[in-house]
Amino acid sequence: MADIAQQLERRRAAAADAWDVRGAVVLVAAGDEIPVPGRGDRTYPFRAHSEYLYLTDRERPGGVLALDPGEGWVEFVVPVTAEELLWSGLEGDLEGVPEGTRPLDELEAWVRGRPVRRLGAATDPDSELRDALVRVRRPKDDVEVERMRVAAEATRAGFAELVGLVEPDRTERELQVALEAAFLRSSGDFLAFETIVAAGDHSALLHFSPTARELRAGELLLVDAGAEHRGYASDVTRTYPVGGELDARQRLVWETVRRAGEAAMAACRPGVEWRDVHRTAALVVAEGLAELGVLRGAPETLVESGAVTLFFPHGVGHMVGLGVRDAGAASHEAREPAPGLPRLRVDIPLEPRQAWTVEPGIYFVAPLLARDRGRRDVDWNRVDELLGFGGVRIEQNVLVTDDGCEVLTAAIPL
């Protein structure tokens, strides 16, 4: 098992080396609990800010990790109170200050008279420090990879529970409950994000919340979900036929998406631009849509013209790890979109130990298509026949290696 104390020391050293604070102190805040409006003393589940969790491995509200260039790192925490011991059962004694930390009420005096730069839950975080820490956080260390593997295994258990329930007359909500319960029984300690269970035409909506709608034989069911373990996420999508086999049209679309994902993952290796991974998937999608009779033209032309983006309207994936969208684009990394491609959440070259989702899809979304009706590279009569088809997405999580990538979610059957 990887040593978290050793990794915390390494992470803090890397962050300090990446920052040029020149006499200022840096404060990285955990954030505070947020009350649920009108619900008495209830609060939303607390999740420490990712920057604080990365550097402390602690989820305690109110904490602040401080860096003084001369003194080094100092951690200030909110002491555990007797009331918390009674109501919440938090570990600790009545002073509640873990060894090696200092009470939060000492922070003001410690900072007094010195310039301060802030990260974490501050209302105005320092973008220069954040960008530097993003670059430090992108390569996953052994502790992070270990936790992602646990999250992936919990997610596998959830999808295994789900598969036998994909049949007519069950509801989207019923499947959601079964899936999430299996996550939590299998070492998941939180949901990585709000579960998407979308049947029929709902499957064409990218972030659809489950409802009491019953599944119907012959339609598609798209499930996008993931367990989280110690702050680290798994993010997986599968698309299933309800009550049997895919029909010919569904099979063609599903196989196209599967092949697009396989091609994109084969392209994932150090030095490859993320936009080129997307383009690789989009070329396969173009071929499939032409075979389906929806698009006309050569795949390269259909990608560059934006025709493919009408049916594959999102990026091929995003970084994943500490949270479902981890270590996103730094402010200086903004790039002009490539011709024909959608906006990509992160558009950088791949490096070893980065973790990404790879999630191509094909969707028939009437309002989106209506905006471009009349394009000559689209067979609109064929499109009209397919409205109501829904959508297909297949998503894996990959870890970039020295010469390719490892599929962390390969054990979850398609």
Side-chain angles (χ1 to χ4, degrees):
M1 181 175 293
D3 184 343
I4 182 60
Q6 183 181 60
Q7 292 298 343
L8 286 177
E9 183 178 358
R10 182 200 60 78
R11 294 174 192 177
R12 292 182 184 187
D17 287 345
W19 294 338
D20 181 12
V21 293
R22 300 191 181 187
V25 296
V26 178
L27 304 183
V28 184
D32 298 305
E33 291 182 309
I34 300 174
V36 179
R39 298 296 193 275
D41 59 358
R42 284 196 59 206
T43 61
Y44 290 104
F46 178 73
R47 314 298 286 156
H49 195 285
S50 291
E51 292 160 350
Y52 177 86
L53 184 59
Y54 180 76
L55 293 169
T56 67
D57 203 42
R58 203 184 297 279
E59 287 276 15
R60 177 87 171 130
V64 176
L65 179 66
L67 172 64
D68 177 279
E71 186 176 348
W73 295 91
V74 183
E75 189 175 354
F76 297 87
V77 301
V78 179
V80 176
T81 66
E83 184 178 18
E84 286 178 305
L85 291 172
L86 171 63
W87 289 98
S88 304
L90 294 176
E91 294 182 2
D93 55 30
L94 289 183
E95 286 71 37
V97 180
E99 184 178 354
T101 67
R102 296 170 62 172
L104 185 64
D105 60 12
E106 296 181 8
L107 176 61
E108 184 176 352
W110 184 85
V111 168
R112 188 173 295 127
R114 294 189 282 182
V116 176
R117 299 177 70 175
R118 299 179 186 275
L119 274 180
T123 55
D124 186 22
D126 189 307
S127 61
E128 182 180 351
L129 296 185
R130 176 190 172 274
D131 287 351
L133 186 56
V134 160
R135 292 191 292 273
V136 169
R137 288 178 49 209
R138 281 176 177 165
K140 298 300 170 230
D141 61 40
D142 290 346
V143 168
E144 296 180 289
V145 173
E146 192 173 272
R147 292 179 181 179
M148 291 185 71
R149 293 190 194 282
V150 174
E153 172 55 25
T155 302
R156 185 207 61 77
F159 276 85
E161 181 79 13
L162 175 85
V163 168
L165 303 177
V166 181
E167 56 189 26
D169 300 328
R170 294 193 185 272
T171 68
E172 294 169 338
R173 182 77 69 194
E174 183 179 356
L175 299 185
Q176 174 196 9
V177 171
L179 179 77
E180 293 177 357
F183 288 169
L184 300 178
R185 286 195 301 266
S186 305
S187 298
D189 51 31
F190 216 78
L191 299 180
F193 53 95
E194 293 76 16
T195 297
I196 298 165
V197 180
D201 56 357
H202 291 170
S203 62
L205 305 177
L206 300 185
H207 287 174
F208 183 81
S209 297
T211 70
R213 180 193 186 281
E214 293 183 346
L215 280 60
R216 301 171 191 140
E219 64 186 10
L220 295 170
L221 176 75
L222 186 151
V223 180
D224 187 343
E228 185 177 283
H229 176 74
R230 298 292 300 275
Y232 285 80
S234 185
D235 181 3
V236 171
T237 308
R238 298 290 186 263
T239 306
Y240 305 109
V242 176
E245 297 293 323
L246 295 164
D247 66 28
R249 296 183 310 175
Q250 292 169 341
R251 173 63 63 182
L252 175 54
V253 173
W254 190 94
E255 287 289 354
T256 296
V257 172
R258 182 193 62 77
R259 288 189 296 106
E262 294 289 339
M265 288 187 288
C268 288
R269 58 186 181 276
V272 173
E273 296 277 351
W274 187 241
R275 61 174 53 188
D276 291 332
V277 176
H278 181 100
R279 185 179 287 105
T280 297
L283 287 168
V284 177
V285 170
E287 293 171 357
L289 289 173
E291 185 178 353
L292 187 63
V294 169
L295 294 182
R296 307 185 185 100
E300 294 82 1
T301 302
L302 294 171
V303 171
E304 292 176 7
S305 71
V308 171
T309 299
L310 295 174
F311 305 91
F312 177 18
H314 58 76
V316 73
H318 52 81
M319 303 192 88
V320 64
L322 181 47
V324 71
R325 292 196 177 93
D326 188 24
S331 56
H332 70 282
E333 292 174 334
R335 302 174 68 183
E336 289 296 319
L341 302 190
R343 181 184 68 86
L344 304 179
R345 294 182 184 276
V346 186
D347 189 8
I348 59 174
L350 275 62
E351 296 181 5
R353 299 190 77 93
Q354 291 176 349
W356 295 81
T357 69
V358 175
E359 49 180 307
I362 294 176
Y363 317 86
F364 292 86
V365 185
L368 181 65
L369 295 170
R371 296 186 308 182
D372 280 77
R373 195 169 185 94
R375 290 183 62 126
R376 301 184 67 179
D377 48 7
V378 178
D379 185 330
W380 292 103
N381 291 328
R382 182 61 167 156
V383 168
D384 289 343
E385 294 173 4
L386 289 163
L387 293 179
F389 176 95
V392 172
R393 182 165 67 251
I394 300 173
E395 177 181 19
Q396 303 278 28
N397 301 166
V398 303
L399 180 70
V400 181
T401 63
D402 289 338
D403 57 0
C405 71
E406 175 191 355
V407 183
L408 298 176
T409 50
I412 304 173
L414 298 182

